[in-house]
């Protein structure tokens, strides 16, 4: 059983529209992360989330981005007004302890038209 | 802050031959080190990790890696590769305190030649 499930697997959206990417971890994880991978490039950190608040965010994670755990299970990434350069694979990752590996979902491929 | 260098962007290897994928890191603090594998059109799967203890760590699918603190390296090795090892391999590092993010290298595409 995977540690985390991401939906949708592929999202196509018009530029300027809002998107919400979802991540459902199994229950014993405390630490949550979003990363992205632009086609052909390395995986980049976006944001980490612990105890219902952001722990750290990168400079990529600007005011257009937000995260939340609305119901204590789903962990979502929202992009308010998408840009062409937001096209990427977005990965959710989870961890049970700070000294343990992060486990990644299969990703959501976001395509902005 | 940490950084990771994977000098080899592509490595072609004949089936059943050995392989080494190189990873060097930079950090001002002690670190944890990881190798992740990404098969085509899939997510990132943990291959192996170094947290503490023995510097030689073994992972899934017959891979192993050796942590060398003096050379700040964490090279990945396999004595005999298989066609199914064709994938992108990412080395990653994080500081060993707090809720640290992972910093990834640019990846090495391993291609197995039949």
């Amino acid at each position: 059983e995977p540690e985390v499930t991401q939906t949708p697997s592929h999202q196509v959206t018009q530029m300027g529209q809002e998107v919400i990417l979802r991540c459902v971890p199994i229950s014993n994880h405390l630490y949550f992360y979003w990363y992205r991978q632009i086609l052909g490039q390395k995986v980049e950190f976006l944001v980490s989330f612990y105890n219902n608040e952001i722990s750290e965010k990168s400079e990529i994670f600007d005011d257009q981005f937000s995260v939340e755990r609305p119901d204590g299970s789903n962990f979502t990434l929202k992009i308010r007004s998408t840009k062409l350069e937001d096209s990427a694979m977005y990965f959710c990752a989870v961890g049970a302890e700070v000294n343990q590996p992060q486990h990644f979902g299969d990703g959501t491929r976001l395509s902005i038209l | 802050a940490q950084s990771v260098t994977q000098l080899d962007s592509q490595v072609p290897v004949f089936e059943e031959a050995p392989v080494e994928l190189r990873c060097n890191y930079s950090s001002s603090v002690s670190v944890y080190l990881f190798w992740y594998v990404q098969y085509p059109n899939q997510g990132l799967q943990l291959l192996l990790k170094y947290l503490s203890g023995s510097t030689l760590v073994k992972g899934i699918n017959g891979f192993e890696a050796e942590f060398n603190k003096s050379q700040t390296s964490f090279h990945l090795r396999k004595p005999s590769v298989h066609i199914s090892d064709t994938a992108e391999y990412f080395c990653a590092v994080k500081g060993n305190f707090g809720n640290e993010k992972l910093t990834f290298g640019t990846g090495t595409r391993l291609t197995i030649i039949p």
Side-chain angles (χ1 to χ4, degrees):
Chain A
E1 183 184 1
E3 302 275 346
V4 58
T5 303
Q6 288 187 244
T7 59
S9 57
H10 192 190
Q11 174 83 45
V12 182
T13 301
Q14 292 288 331
M15 187 173 59
Q17 296 297 305
E18 174 184 284
V19 294
I20 298 176
L21 311 182
R22 289 184 170 80
C23 170
V24 182
I26 63 175
S27 61
N28 61 342
H29 290 108
L30 301 176
Y31 301 91
F32 304 90
Y33 311 83
W34 284 101
Y35 294 82
R36 79 172 185 190
Q37 183 183 30
I38 294 172
L39 187 64
Q41 298 185 25
K42 68 178 180 180
V43 179
E44 302 173 289
F45 168 76
L46 292 178
V47 65
S48 58
F49 190 85
Y50 169 71
N51 201 24
N52 288 320
E53 62 182 28
I54 290 174
S55 311
E56 184 180 359
K57 58 184 180 180
S58 72
E59 54 191 35
I60 302 169
F61 194 89
D62 62 21
D63 291 344
Q64 293 300 312
F65 291 86
S66 62
V67 290
E68 63 176 2
R69 288 193 76 199
D71 55 8
S73 59
N74 292 293
F75 179 50
T76 63
L77 174 70
K78 182 193 292 186
I79 309 175
R80 263 180 275 282
S81 178
T82 50
K83 303 187 281 284
L84 293 176
E85 54 264 39
D86 293 328
S87 294
M89 183 74 93
Y90 288 80
F91 292 107
C92 173
V94 296
E97 300 286 342
V98 292
N99 63 347
Q100 291 299 316
Q102 295 172 23
H103 296 277
F104 286 75
D106 284 341
T108 293
R109 182 170 297 284
L110 178 62
S111 300
I112 307 302
L113 304 179
Chain B
Q2 292 85 37
S3 67
V4 178
T5 301
Q6 291 181 250
L7 286 173
D8 305 307
S9 60
Q10 296 188 59
V11 173
V13 180
F14 285 102
E15 194 173 12
E16 298 183 4
V19 68
E20 178 179 84
L21 305 184
R22 296 180 293 168
C23 172
N24 287 88
Y25 70 93
S26 172
S27 176
S28 57
V29 299
S30 296
V31 297
Y32 297 138
L33 293 152
F34 308 88
W35 277 96
Y36 285 85
V37 58
Q38 185 178 32
Y39 298 105
N41 300 312
Q42 293 188 29
L44 296 164
Q45 181 181 1
L46 180 68
L47 203 55
L48 49 75
K49 61 184 183 284
Y50 171 78
L51 302 179
S52 65
S54 173
T55 57
L56 182 64
V57 292
K58 295 187 183 299
I60 61 172
N61 302 339
F63 283 93
E64 63 181 32
E66 185 155 21
F67 170 55
N68 187 319
K69 189 174 182 180
S70 62
Q71 296 188 5
T72 59
S73 68
F74 190 55
H75 300 331
L76 181 70
R77 302 185 184 99
K78 186 170 182 177
S80 175
V81 296
H82 189 266
I83 288 286
S84 59
D85 293 323
T86 295
E88 188 97 17
Y89 291 80
F90 292 94
C91 182
V93 63
K94 62 179 276 190
N96 70 350
F97 63 92
N99 183 18
E100 288 284 309
K101 65 180 182 289
L102 284 170
T103 298
F104 285 85
T106 50
T108 297
R109 182 172 299 279
L110 177 62
T111 302
I112 308 302
I113 305 165

